[in-house]
Amino acid sequence: MNIVLLGSPASGKGTQAEILSKKFNLFHLSTGDIARKLAEANPRIKEIINSGKLLPPEEITMHVLDFLEHEKPDMTGILFEGFPRFISQYEALDNFLKSKGDNIDLVISLEVPMEVAIKRISSRWMCPGCGEIYNMETDPPKNPGVCDKCGGILVQRDDDKPEAIKTRFEYYIRNTKELIDYVDAKGKLTRINGDRPIGVIAKDLEEVVRKATGNDNN
Ligand code: AMP
């Protein structure tokens, strides 16, 4: 079973992808993580990410297909997070998986109103030392601005800064909404309301996946 989890910036897709992949023993493939790793050695990619823009679709597709070919040759049991985001990426992935005898089985769109996502993004801070993430409204550190785990000074990810947020949304709406409609027309889309507590959403997602796999017992 291969699952695609789509969602706007700050829809909670990263958190839910982690929960879901653990629950169903899926390989969690996050293109945001791949892109951030590439950015460490590539200033062009770093600038694109920090400004809130998307990488050229075919560039990230190439990295994903290359990764699958070399690191995940069985091509199944994968939870794709943040990829595909464009119709062209969807078709490239679908064709690639089909050429290996596999499929995209399920596409889930985690949906939150724009105001909610913007509020979430602006309250998300992280520790550059250990990578711990804090939400200043719902999960603040004990000492303001200081990491509970390692004492590091908390910062905002560059692409979580207010000027980048609007751009990320514009790109999301322009490209991913088109993909969502495209997948919906194929009858493969499940929409999930992401404006609810993490545990409630996780339960819903679990049910959707169980139904799709015909696995109602675990
Ligand atoms: P995310 O954490 O999923 O919001 O991704 C962070 C950044 O990585 C995005 O703002 C893009 O610059 C880049 N990125 C991730 N996935 C894709 C994709 N499917 N196509 C193009 N760029 C991507």
Side-chain angles (χ1 to χ4, degrees), residues 12 23 32 61 71 77 81 85 90 98 108 113 117 119 125 133 144 155 157 163-164 169 176 180 183 192 207:
K23 184 95 212 167
T61 300
E71 313 284 335
E81 182 219 322
R85 267 171 152 108
Y90 182 93
K98 282 191 172 127
I108 302 170
K119 200 162 167 227
W125 288 67
I133 307 275
V155 297
R157 231 168 68 180
E163 56 278 19
F169 253 101
T176 313
I180 288 174
V183 176
I192 297 279
E207 217 175 290

Side-chain angles (χ1 to χ4, degrees), residues 28-144:
H28 177 187
L29 197 157
S30 155
T31 45
D33 287 350
I34 292 179
R36 281 184 283 276
K37 186 102 198 103
L38 291 168
E40 285 170 16
N42 186 323
R44 175 185 60 87
I45 294 181
K46 188 170 182 189
E47 207 204 312
I48 294 176
I49 295 180
N50 288 352
S51 66
K53 294 181 183 154
L54 292 170
L55 294 173
E58 56 290 346
E59 185 172 355
I60 204 90
T61 300
M62 187 193 78
H63 284 290
V64 170
L65 300 191
D66 189 61
F67 181 87
L68 290 177
E69 187 84 58
H70 295 105
E71 313 284 335
K72 193 76 184 72
D74 60 345
M75 308 286 165
T76 193
I78 306 167
L79 176 63
F80 294 92
E81 182 219 322
F83 180 89
R85 267 171 152 108
F86 299 84
I87 293 175
S88 63
Q89 290 182 338
Y90 182 93
E91 288 182 334
L93 178 65
D94 199 34
N95 289 335
F96 182 77
L97 291 175
K98 282 191 172 127
S99 76
K100 308 283 180 187
D102 221 298
N103 260 314
I104 298 173
D105 300 291
L106 181 63
V107 181
I108 302 170
S109 166
L110 191 57
E111 310 199 329
V112 291
M114 193 188 288
E115 321 79 70
V116 171
I118 288 179
K119 200 162 167 227
R120 281 186 188 169
I121 293 177
S122 16
S123 50
R124 181 161 71 188
W125 288 67
M126 70 171 290
C127 173
C130 68
E132 189 72 1
I133 307 275
Y134 294 88
N135 182 303
M136 292 309 181
E137 304 223 346
T138 59
D139 177 29
K142 290 191 188 78
N143 296 315

Side-chain angles (χ1 to χ4, degrees), residues 177-216:
K177 280 242 154 91
E178 263 180 28
L179 172 63
I180 288 174
D181 292 344
Y182 173 82
V183 176
D184 203 9
K186 286 177 180 283
K188 275 200 181 183
L189 187 77
T190 301
R191 295 176 190 271
I192 297 279
N193 173 6
D195 188 14
R196 296 174 299 160
I198 291 174
V200 177
I201 299 168
K203 271 254 160 292
D204 263 13
L205 284 172
E206 195 184 316
E207 217 175 290
V208 168
V209 175
R210 281 200 200 290
K211 271 199 185 127
T213 53
N215 171 2
D216 288 330

